[in-house]
Amino acid sequence: MKQAERREKLIRYLLDENPEYRDVEIPQEETGQRRLLRGLMNVRMPGAIDENFLRVQDEYLQEEAAAKGIVTIDDMAFNDEGLAVWKGDITRLRVDAIVNAANSGMTGCYVPNHTCIDNCIHTFAGVQLRYECSRIMEEQGYEESTGQAKITSAYNLPCRYVLHTVGPIVSGRVTAEDEDLLVSCYRS
């Protein structure tokens, strides 16, 4: 199955899954289809999904990741202390873990096609990530505190894990408490 066929199959499944979307027309051009698929994935509530959908989604997302290009540790320049700084799309990194700037609900950004890292990570990992985060939060029984972190599988991202941490939301001047909470994010 080609990417265009996979994309259309995924869109049709997500449209059919929600009665509100059944009248939505699928754009003919690739860009419009990509935006629609991403938007539908962004607004889908966490939950189980058909194994056939997951198989097609995983094939689609893995091929998309390969097309974007995977970045490995060998592609990075390290300084004398053994540190490297990566500036770019972290959803391309084949590393042990990437860090997600998560919200306290931990289930990702629900704004269709929003460009925040939380939205990108949840989109390119696949719908399984949101479901896993939802189960973790349900088991925990309360929202994640600022400065804390959770770890999940990365699913269709090239990295192995995603570390989700809730950073402080700063309004106005940065306070000592804001600084302490940010330090806690890194430590967690």
Side-chain angles (χ1 to χ4, degrees):
M1 188 181 309
K2 296 183 184 213
Q3 281 298 80
E5 295 169 296
R6 289 183 185 116
R7 187 173 45 250
E8 187 170 334
K9 187 171 187 142
L10 295 171
I11 290 170
R12 288 191 188 287
Y13 183 95
L14 292 170
L15 289 174
D16 289 345
E17 183 181 53
N18 191 326
E20 291 178 44
Y21 306 143
R22 288 207 173 121
D23 293 333
V24 172
E25 288 190 33
I26 300 174
Q28 294 299 310
E29 79 286 347
E30 180 180 344
T31 303
Q33 288 178 3
R34 285 174 177 272
R35 285 189 55 75
L36 177 57
L37 176 58
R38 181 167 178 193
L40 290 168
M41 290 174 74
N42 296 156
V43 298
R44 185 180 190 275
M45 297 306 290
I49 197 159
D50 181 79
E51 286 296 320
N52 289 326
F53 175 91
L54 290 177
R55 181 184 49 74
V56 173
Q57 175 211 245
D58 293 352
E59 291 169 358
Y60 179 80
L61 291 174
Q62 288 167 23
E63 191 164 317
E64 290 293 298
K68 282 195 303 187
I70 305 297
V71 177
T72 69
I73 205 113
D74 296 332
D75 299 320
M76 297 180 194
F78 288 83
N79 67 15
D80 292 338
E81 286 108 33
L83 297 175
V85 175
W86 168 252
K87 184 178 180 182
D89 179 355
I90 68 171
T91 66
R92 295 177 53 210
L93 294 175
R94 178 165 285 139
V95 294
D96 286 335
I98 60 172
V99 178
N100 179 21
N103 58 40
S104 59
M106 291 282 183
T107 58
C109 171
Y110 289 86
V111 178
N113 299 301
H114 194 242
T115 58
C116 69
I117 194 60
D118 197 17
N119 189 296
C120 293
I121 288 171
H122 277 271
T123 297
F124 303 125
V127 298
Q128 306 96 308
L129 180 59
R130 181 170 278 168
Y131 189 37
E132 180 179 354
C133 289
S134 171
R135 290 190 316 257
I136 289 170
M137 296 311 294
E138 188 175 308
E139 186 176 303
Q140 179 170 296
Y142 55 90
E143 289 193 338
E144 191 69 7
S145 301
T146 301
Q148 298 303 301
K150 295 285 188 269
I151 188 170
T152 64
S153 175
Y155 298 96
N156 292 293
L157 295 171
C159 59
R160 293 177 58 201
Y161 301 101
V162 178
L163 299 165
H164 308 264
T165 188
V166 182
I169 298 173
V170 178
S171 299
R173 295 190 60 177
V174 176
T175 65
E177 180 184 6
D178 295 328
E179 292 172 354
D180 290 343
L181 288 169
L182 186 57
V183 167
S184 182
C185 289
Y186 283 92
R187 288 191 177 133
S188 294

PDB file of all heavy atoms in Angstrom, residues 115-140:
ATOM      1  N   THR A 115       1.474  23.818  16.327  1.00  0.00           N
ATOM      2  CA  THR A 115       2.893  23.500  16.110  1.00  0.00           C
ATOM      3  C   THR A 115       3.692  23.379  17.407  1.00  0.00           C
ATOM      4  O   THR A 115       4.919  23.325  17.353  1.00  0.00           O
ATOM      5  CB  THR A 115       3.549  24.539  15.186  1.00  0.00           C
ATOM      6  OG1 THR A 115       3.396  25.833  15.770  1.00  0.00           O
ATOM      7  CG2 THR A 115       2.937  24.497  13.792  1.00  0.00           C
ATOM      8  N   CYS A 116       3.037  23.305  18.561  1.00  0.00           N
ATOM      9  CA  CYS A 116       3.783  23.113  19.804  1.00  0.00           C
ATOM     10  C   CYS A 116       4.417  21.723  19.799  1.00  0.00           C
ATOM     11  O   CYS A 116       3.947  20.816  19.112  1.00  0.00           O
ATOM     12  CB  CYS A 116       2.886  23.296  21.023  1.00  0.00           C
ATOM     13  SG  CYS A 116       1.640  22.002  21.258  1.00  0.00           S
ATOM     14  N   ILE A 117       5.479  21.549  20.553  1.00  0.00           N
ATOM     15  CA  ILE A 117       6.187  20.274  20.548  1.00  0.00           C
ATOM     16  C   ILE A 117       5.306  19.148  21.080  1.00  0.00           C
ATOM     17  O   ILE A 117       5.391  18.012  20.620  1.00  0.00           O
ATOM     18  CB  ILE A 117       7.546  20.370  21.298  1.00  0.00           C
ATOM     19  CG1 ILE A 117       8.408  19.150  20.978  1.00  0.00           C
ATOM     20  CG2 ILE A 117       7.339  20.521  22.791  1.00  0.00           C
ATOM     21  CD1 ILE A 117       8.742  18.983  19.519  1.00  0.00           C
ATOM     22  N   ASP A 118       4.444  19.443  22.043  1.00  0.00           N
ATOM     23  CA  ASP A 118       3.536  18.439  22.596  1.00  0.00           C
ATOM     24  C   ASP A 118       2.653  17.862  21.492  1.00  0.00           C
ATOM     25  O   ASP A 118       2.481  16.649  21.368  1.00  0.00           O
ATOM     26  CB  ASP A 118       2.694  19.089  23.693  1.00  0.00           C
ATOM     27  CG  ASP A 118       2.005  18.107  24.621  1.00  0.00           C
ATOM     28  OD1 ASP A 118       2.396  16.924  24.666  1.00  0.00           O
ATOM     29  OD2 ASP A 118       1.075  18.540  25.328  1.00  0.00           O
ATOM     30  N   ASN A 119       2.116  18.737  20.649  1.00  0.00           N
ATOM     31  CA  ASN A 119       1.267  18.305  19.541  1.00  0.00           C
ATOM     32  C   ASN A 119       2.071  17.484  18.532  1.00  0.00           C
ATOM     33  O   ASN A 119       1.627  16.425  18.082  1.00  0.00           O
ATOM     34  CB  ASN A 119       0.649  19.534  18.872  1.00  0.00           C
ATOM     35  CG  ASN A 119      -0.405  19.189  17.845  1.00  0.00           C
ATOM     36  OD1 ASN A 119      -0.112  18.564  16.836  1.00  0.00           O
ATOM     37  ND2 ASN A 119      -1.626  19.621  18.093  1.00  0.00           N
ATOM     38  N   CYS A 120       3.256  17.960  18.199  1.00  0.00           N
ATOM     39  CA  CYS A 120       4.095  17.250  17.216  1.00  0.00           C
ATOM     40  C   CYS A 120       4.467  15.855  17.716  1.00  0.00           C
ATOM     41  O   CYS A 120       4.365  14.874  16.972  1.00  0.00           O
ATOM     42  CB  CYS A 120       5.357  18.053  16.910  1.00  0.00           C
ATOM     43  SG  CYS A 120       5.028  19.596  16.053  1.00  0.00           S
ATOM     44  N   ILE A 121       4.898  15.761  18.966  1.00  0.00           N
ATOM     45  CA  ILE A 121       5.294  14.465  19.509  1.00  0.00           C
ATOM     46  C   ILE A 121       4.114  13.502  19.494  1.00  0.00           C
ATOM     47  O   ILE A 121       4.242  12.357  19.052  1.00  0.00           O
ATOM     48  CB  ILE A 121       5.890  14.619  20.922  1.00  0.00           C
ATOM     49  CG1 ILE A 121       7.284  15.259  20.820  1.00  0.00           C
ATOM     50  CG2 ILE A 121       5.940  13.282  21.657  1.00  0.00           C
ATOM     51  CD1 ILE A 121       7.887  15.670  22.144  1.00  0.00           C
ATOM     52  N   HIS A 122       2.963  13.935  19.975  1.00  0.00           N
ATOM     53  CA  HIS A 122       1.794  13.051  19.992  1.00  0.00           C
ATOM     54  C   HIS A 122       1.342  12.674  18.584  1.00  0.00           C
ATOM     55  O   HIS A 122       0.946  11.538  18.340  1.00  0.00           O
ATOM     56  CB  HIS A 122       0.642  13.684  20.786  1.00  0.00           C
ATOM     57  CG  HIS A 122       0.769  13.476  22.256  1.00  0.00           C
ATOM     58  ND1 HIS A 122       0.245  12.385  22.891  1.00  0.00           N
ATOM     59  CD2 HIS A 122       1.383  14.208  23.208  1.00  0.00           C
ATOM     60  CE1 HIS A 122       0.516  12.451  24.185  1.00  0.00           C
ATOM     61  NE2 HIS A 122       1.213  13.553  24.401  1.00  0.00           N
ATOM     62  N   THR A 123       1.431  13.592  17.636  1.00  0.00           N
ATOM     63  CA  THR A 123       1.041  13.301  16.257  1.00  0.00           C
ATOM     64  C   THR A 123       1.950  12.257  15.630  1.00  0.00           C
ATOM     65  O   THR A 123       1.486  11.259  15.082  1.00  0.00           O
ATOM     66  CB  THR A 123       1.080  14.582  15.395  1.00  0.00           C
ATOM     67  OG1 THR A 123       0.135  15.519  15.904  1.00  0.00           O
ATOM     68  CG2 THR A 123       0.731  14.274  13.941  1.00  0.00           C
ATOM     69  N   PHE A 124       3.266  12.473  15.709  1.00  0.00           N
ATOM     70  CA  PHE A 124       4.204  11.616  14.996  1.00  0.00           C
ATOM     71  C   PHE A 124       4.495  10.308  15.721  1.00  0.00           C
ATOM     72  O   PHE A 124       5.017   9.371  15.114  1.00  0.00           O
ATOM     73  CB  PHE A 124       5.475  12.389  14.653  1.00  0.00           C
ATOM     74  CG  PHE A 124       5.183  13.622  13.833  1.00  0.00           C
ATOM     75  CD1 PHE A 124       5.613  14.872  14.230  1.00  0.00           C
ATOM     76  CD2 PHE A 124       4.436  13.535  12.664  1.00  0.00           C
ATOM     77  CE1 PHE A 124       5.323  16.009  13.490  1.00  0.00           C
ATOM     78  CE2 PHE A 124       4.138  14.655  11.905  1.00  0.00           C
ATOM     79  CZ  PHE A 124       4.577  15.897  12.314  1.00  0.00           C
ATOM     80  N   ALA A 125       4.131  10.226  16.997  1.00  0.00           N
ATOM     81  CA  ALA A 125       4.237   8.952  17.720  1.00  0.00           C
ATOM     82  C   ALA A 125       3.055   8.058  17.351  1.00  0.00           C
ATOM     83  O   ALA A 125       3.185   6.848  17.289  1.00  0.00           O
ATOM     84  CB  ALA A 125       4.265   9.188  19.219  1.00  0.00           C
ATOM     85  N   GLY A 126       1.888   8.664  17.118  1.00  0.00           N
ATOM     86  CA  GLY A 126       0.677   7.907  16.816  1.00  0.00           C
ATOM     87  C   GLY A 126      -0.303   7.952  17.978  1.00  0.00           C
ATOM     88  O   GLY A 126       0.039   8.368  19.094  1.00  0.00           O
ATOM     89  N   VAL A 127      -1.521   7.499  17.727  1.00  0.00           N
ATOM     90  CA  VAL A 127      -2.596   7.606  18.726  1.00  0.00           C
ATOM     91  C   VAL A 127      -2.334   6.764  19.975  1.00  0.00           C
ATOM     92  O   VAL A 127      -2.929   7.008  21.022  1.00  0.00           O
ATOM     93  CB  VAL A 127      -3.971   7.258  18.120  1.00  0.00           C
ATOM     94  CG1 VAL A 127      -4.335   8.236  16.997  1.00  0.00           C
ATOM     95  CG2 VAL A 127      -4.032   5.820  17.644  1.00  0.00           C
ATOM     96  N   GLN A 128      -1.428   5.795  19.895  1.00  0.00           N
ATOM     97  CA  GLN A 128      -1.120   4.957  21.046  1.00  0.00           C
ATOM     98  C   GLN A 128      -0.510   5.772  22.186  1.00  0.00           C
ATOM     99  O   GLN A 128      -0.718   5.463  23.361  1.00  0.00           O
ATOM    100  CB  GLN A 128      -0.131   3.831  20.698  1.00  0.00           C
ATOM    101  CG  GLN A 128      -0.516   2.951  19.560  1.00  0.00           C
ATOM    102  CD  GLN A 128       0.121   3.382  18.252  1.00  0.00           C
ATOM    103  OE1 GLN A 128       0.036   4.536  17.845  1.00  0.00           O
ATOM    104  NE2 GLN A 128       0.760   2.443  17.562  1.00  0.00           N
ATOM    105  N   LEU A 129       0.259   6.799  21.860  1.00  0.00           N
ATOM    106  CA  LEU A 129       0.919   7.595  22.896  1.00  0.00           C
ATOM    107  C   LEU A 129      -0.111   8.284  23.779  1.00  0.00           C
ATOM    108  O   LEU A 129      -0.007   8.254  25.008  1.00  0.00           O
ATOM    109  CB  LEU A 129       1.870   8.620  22.278  1.00  0.00           C
ATOM    110  CG  LEU A 129       2.607   9.509  23.285  1.00  0.00           C
ATOM    111  CD1 LEU A 129       3.452   8.682  24.250  1.00  0.00           C
ATOM    112  CD2 LEU A 129       3.467  10.530  22.556  1.00  0.00           C
ATOM    113  N   ARG A 130      -1.090   8.908  23.181  1.00  0.00           N
ATOM    114  CA  ARG A 130      -2.124   9.591  23.967  1.00  0.00           C
ATOM    115  C   ARG A 130      -2.867   8.596  24.855  1.00  0.00           C
ATOM    116  O   ARG A 130      -3.164   8.887  26.010  1.00  0.00           O
ATOM    117  CB  ARG A 130      -3.099  10.311  23.031  1.00  0.00           C
ATOM    118  CG  ARG A 130      -4.177  11.065  23.760  1.00  0.00           C
ATOM    119  CD  ARG A 130      -4.972  11.948  22.833  1.00  0.00           C
ATOM    120  NE  ARG A 130      -4.221  13.192  22.635  1.00  0.00           N
ATOM    121  CZ  ARG A 130      -4.498  14.105  21.712  1.00  0.00           C
ATOM    122  NH1 ARG A 130      -5.496  13.913  20.886  1.00  0.00           N
ATOM    123  NH2 ARG A 130      -3.775  15.198  21.603  1.00  0.00           N
ATOM    124  N   TYR A 131      -3.125   7.423  24.320  1.00  0.00           N
ATOM    125  CA  TYR A 131      -3.834   6.397  25.091  1.00  0.00           C
ATOM    126  C   TYR A 131      -2.983   5.944  26.282  1.00  0.00           C
ATOM    127  O   TYR A 131      -3.485   5.798  27.400  1.00  0.00           O
ATOM    128  CB  TYR A 131      -4.207   5.232  24.181  1.00  0.00           C
ATOM    129  CG  TYR A 131      -5.117   4.206  24.801  1.00  0.00           C
ATOM    130  CD1 TYR A 131      -6.138   4.560  25.680  1.00  0.00           C
ATOM    131  CD2 TYR A 131      -4.967   2.865  24.495  1.00  0.00           C
ATOM    132  CE1 TYR A 131      -6.975   3.608  26.229  1.00  0.00           C
ATOM    133  CE2 TYR A 131      -5.803   1.900  25.036  1.00  0.00           C
ATOM    134  CZ  TYR A 131      -6.801   2.278  25.907  1.00  0.00           C
ATOM    135  OH  TYR A 131      -7.622   1.334  26.465  1.00  0.00           O
ATOM    136  N   GLU A 132      -1.688   5.717  26.066  1.00  0.00           N
ATOM    137  CA  GLU A 132      -0.817   5.323  27.172  1.00  0.00           C
ATOM    138  C   GLU A 132      -0.761   6.420  28.239  1.00  0.00           C
ATOM    139  O   GLU A 132      -0.858   6.135  29.439  1.00  0.00           O
ATOM    140  CB  GLU A 132       0.598   5.005  26.693  1.00  0.00           C
ATOM    141  CG  GLU A 132       1.511   4.592  27.842  1.00  0.00           C
ATOM    142  CD  GLU A 132       2.926   4.238  27.437  1.00  0.00           C
ATOM    143  OE1 GLU A 132       3.241   4.184  26.227  1.00  0.00           O
ATOM    144  OE2 GLU A 132       3.741   4.007  28.352  1.00  0.00           O
ATOM    145  N   CYS A 133      -0.621   7.664  27.817  1.00  0.00           N
ATOM    146  CA  CYS A 133      -0.596   8.781  28.769  1.00  0.00           C
ATOM    147  C   CYS A 133      -1.902   8.854  29.553  1.00  0.00           C
ATOM    148  O   CYS A 133      -1.901   9.089  30.763  1.00  0.00           O
ATOM    149  CB  CYS A 133      -0.348  10.101  28.041  1.00  0.00           C
ATOM    150  SG  CYS A 133       1.333  10.288  27.407  1.00  0.00           S
ATOM    151  N   SER A 134      -3.001   8.638  28.874  1.00  0.00           N
ATOM    152  CA  SER A 134      -4.310   8.661  29.524  1.00  0.00           C
ATOM    153  C   SER A 134      -4.416   7.575  30.590  1.00  0.00           C
ATOM    154  O   SER A 134      -4.917   7.816  31.697  1.00  0.00           O
ATOM    155  CB  SER A 134      -5.412   8.477  28.466  1.00  0.00           C
ATOM    156  OG  SER A 134      -6.659   8.290  29.066  1.00  0.00           O
ATOM    157  N   ARG A 135      -3.943   6.384  30.262  1.00  0.00           N
ATOM    158  CA  ARG A 135      -3.989   5.276  31.237  1.00  0.00           C
ATOM    159  C   ARG A 135      -3.106   5.579  32.446  1.00  0.00           C
ATOM    160  O   ARG A 135      -3.491   5.302  33.587  1.00  0.00           O
ATOM    161  CB  ARG A 135      -3.581   3.969  30.574  1.00  0.00           C
ATOM    162  CG  ARG A 135      -4.624   3.458  29.582  1.00  0.00           C
ATOM    163  CD  ARG A 135      -4.360   2.042  29.086  1.00  0.00           C
ATOM    164  NE  ARG A 135      -2.982   1.774  28.735  1.00  0.00           N
ATOM    165  CZ  ARG A 135      -2.489   1.706  27.506  1.00  0.00           C
ATOM    166  NH1 ARG A 135      -3.288   1.891  26.475  1.00  0.00           N
ATOM    167  NH2 ARG A 135      -1.216   1.459  27.280  1.00  0.00           N
ATOM    168  N   ILE A 136      -1.940   6.155  32.212  1.00  0.00           N
ATOM    169  CA  ILE A 136      -1.046   6.525  33.321  1.00  0.00           C
ATOM    170  C   ILE A 136      -1.738   7.539  34.231  1.00  0.00           C
ATOM    171  O   ILE A 136      -1.720   7.409  35.461  1.00  0.00           O
ATOM    172  CB  ILE A 136       0.283   7.096  32.781  1.00  0.00           C
ATOM    173  CG1 ILE A 136       1.117   5.986  32.145  1.00  0.00           C
ATOM    174  CG2 ILE A 136       1.066   7.803  33.898  1.00  0.00           C
ATOM    175  CD1 ILE A 136       2.333   6.490  31.360  1.00  0.00           C
ATOM    176  N   MET A 137      -2.352   8.541  33.636  1.00  0.00           N
ATOM    177  CA  MET A 137      -3.003   9.589  34.425  1.00  0.00           C
ATOM    178  C   MET A 137      -4.237   9.058  35.149  1.00  0.00           C
ATOM    179  O   MET A 137      -4.511   9.438  36.286  1.00  0.00           O
ATOM    180  CB  MET A 137      -3.356  10.784  33.531  1.00  0.00           C
ATOM    181  CG  MET A 137      -2.130  11.474  32.936  1.00  0.00           C
ATOM    182  SD  MET A 137      -0.840  11.852  34.133  1.00  0.00           S
ATOM    183  CE  MET A 137      -1.663  13.056  35.124  1.00  0.00           C
ATOM    184  N   GLU A 138      -4.972   8.174  34.494  1.00  0.00           N
ATOM    185  CA  GLU A 138      -6.144   7.572  35.136  1.00  0.00           C
ATOM    186  C   GLU A 138      -5.717   6.764  36.363  1.00  0.00           C
ATOM    187  O   GLU A 138      -6.336   6.850  37.422  1.00  0.00           O
ATOM    188  CB  GLU A 138      -6.884   6.671  34.138  1.00  0.00           C
ATOM    189  CG  GLU A 138      -8.207   6.163  34.639  1.00  0.00           C
ATOM    190  CD  GLU A 138      -8.929   5.373  33.563  1.00  0.00           C
ATOM    191  OE1 GLU A 138      -9.088   5.891  32.453  1.00  0.00           O
ATOM    192  OE2 GLU A 138      -9.323   4.221  33.859  1.00  0.00           O
ATOM    193  N   GLU A 139      -4.655   5.994  36.213  1.00  0.00           N
ATOM    194  CA  GLU A 139      -4.141   5.200  37.326  1.00  0.00           C
ATOM    195  C   GLU A 139      -3.633   6.108  38.448  1.00  0.00           C
ATOM    196  O   GLU A 139      -3.836   5.812  39.633  1.00  0.00           O
ATOM    197  CB  GLU A 139      -3.010   4.299  36.829  1.00  0.00           C
ATOM    198  CG  GLU A 139      -2.508   3.324  37.868  1.00  0.00           C
ATOM    199  CD  GLU A 139      -1.458   2.398  37.285  1.00  0.00           C
ATOM    200  OE1 GLU A 139      -1.763   1.714  36.283  1.00  0.00           O
ATOM    201  OE2 GLU A 139      -0.338   2.367  37.830  1.00  0.00           O
ATOM    202  N   GLN A 140      -2.988   7.215  38.075  1.00  0.00           N
ATOM    203  CA  GLN A 140      -2.474   8.153  39.074  1.00  0.00           C
ATOM    204  C   GLN A 140      -3.609   8.831  39.821  1.00  0.00           C
ATOM    205  O   GLN A 140      -3.509   9.077  41.018  1.00  0.00           O
ATOM    206  CB  GLN A 140      -1.582   9.182  38.381  1.00  0.00           C
ATOM    207  CG  GLN A 140      -1.005  10.233  39.304  1.00  0.00           C
ATOM    208  CD  GLN A 140       0.044  11.075  38.616  1.00  0.00           C
ATOM    209  OE1 GLN A 140       1.078  10.545  38.232  1.00  0.00           O
ATOM    210  NE2 GLN A 140      -0.215  12.362  38.454  1.00  0.00           N
TER     211      GLN A 140
END
